[in-house]
Amino acid sequence: MFAATVLTLYPDMFPGPLGASLAGRALGEGKWSLDAVNIRDFAIDRHRTVDDTPAGGGARMVLRVDVLAAAIDSVSDGRPILAMTPRGAPLTQPRVRQLADGPGAIILCGRFEGFDERIFDARQVEQVSVGDYILSGGEMGALVLLDACIRLLPGVMGAPSSGMDESFETGLLEYPHYTRPSTWEGRTIPEVLRSGDHAKIDAWRKLQAETDTRLRRPDLWERHEGARVRSPSGAHEKKDE
């Protein structure tokens, strides 16, 4: 079973939206578990202080490494430990699949200016970002990460193939979708999708996915194209100038 432990200053934010829809039903059915642990419980003074002024000066506060370490040590059991931070590596679908295939994760949610940098090496904490923007804290990022993992767990989405034809699974954006009515405000469903010719439909969908990725996400397209010209040894083939 996928076991999620969230270390946070705001445990009441969980399960939040993860208590509804597919994730909520799966939680109730015991397909995954969630434990929200209050970092403040590991403070070492009577005021339950979890932060302090930044070394070198600065306007905001930094989460203390000793408090963070105590919180992590209280739940550490071999599961990967991830910290939600804009300084982390971007979360990708392949990494989500790795996590979903494992025993779960311990997720550390930051607040204020962030974490004392020493915690990452001292406790082998993986830094993860959910996008190039700033949130008030790591809790929303943790919800995103968990939702991405939970939907891939066996039995959560129904058919095992349900999540295999979506954006990022093949390195491309997903092709566009249509449903009834066939005509709406003068706009019609593409004829090929009504043809019943599955080979033509597959070809159309592949072309749409490639076109949309190239136009909307050139960064993804570049990586996708790069994979095509990479030799089996891992070296890149020389291209004509």
Side-chain angles (χ1 to χ4, degrees):
M1 181 178 66
F2 185 92
T5 299
V6 181
L7 303 177
T8 171
L9 292 173
Y10 298 96
D12 290 344
M13 294 181 69
F14 297 88
L18 296 178
S21 189
L22 295 176
R25 183 164 64 245
L27 182 62
E29 293 172 351
K31 291 184 171 68
W32 68 289
S33 66
L34 174 64
D35 186 23
V37 176
N38 195 333
I39 295 172
R40 200 172 295 278
D41 291 342
F42 300 90
I44 59 176
D45 66 342
R46 62 187 181 90
H47 299 293
R48 304 182 75 201
T49 304
V50 298
D51 58 346
D52 209 331
T53 55
R60 302 182 67 191
M61 306 293 277
V62 177
L63 289 168
R64 291 174 55 118
V65 68
D66 51 352
V67 176
L68 293 172
I72 291 172
D73 292 346
S74 74
V75 297
S76 184
D77 57 4
R79 287 175 293 165
I81 306 168
L82 302 95
M84 308 309 301
T85 168
R87 297 183 66 240
L91 183 65
T92 64
Q93 191 65 17
R95 183 60 180 129
V96 167
R97 282 202 169 274
Q98 289 177 348
L99 292 169
D101 289 340
I106 297 168
I107 305 175
L108 184 61
C109 299
R111 283 276 164 172
F112 316 122
E113 191 63 25
F115 309 100
D116 185 308
E117 188 74 11
R118 293 171 290 181
I119 194 62
F120 301 123
D121 288 336
R123 293 297 184 272
Q124 297 184 342
V125 178
E126 175 185 351
Q127 300 180 64
V128 177
S129 169
V130 294
D132 295 339
Y133 46 84
I134 304 299
L135 300 170
S136 298
E139 287 79 13
M140 298 303 294
L143 291 169
V144 168
L145 187 153
L146 288 174
D147 182 78
C149 292
I150 293 160
R151 61 191 298 278
L152 298 180
L153 300 179
V156 173
M157 284 194 295
S161 61
S162 296
M164 295 303 297
D165 201 22
E166 297 181 313
S167 293
F168 312 116
E169 286 291 350
T170 62
L172 298 171
L173 298 180
E174 191 176 4
Y175 51 80
H177 293 278
Y178 301 85
T179 187
R180 289 188 290 267
S182 60
T183 300
W184 175 77
E185 293 189 354
R187 295 170 172 83
T188 60
I189 295 175
E191 181 63 31
V192 65
L193 298 179
R194 296 179 286 162
S195 68
D197 188 325
H198 294 292
K200 288 184 177 179
I201 291 172
D202 288 344
W204 180 88
R205 286 174 168 171
K206 182 176 184 293
L207 177 61
Q208 294 299 311
E210 291 179 343
T211 300
D212 285 353
T213 303
R214 178 171 53 83
L215 295 177
R216 301 180 185 185
R217 289 291 304 274
D219 57 320
L220 289 179
W221 180 248
E222 183 177 355
R223 291 198 293 272
H224 181 71
E225 285 291 282
R228 293 182 178 180
V229 299
R230 191 173 295 122
S231 68
S233 64
H236 287 77
E237 297 176 3
K238 184 177 180 180
K239 293 184 178 179
D240 294 335
E241 296 296 336

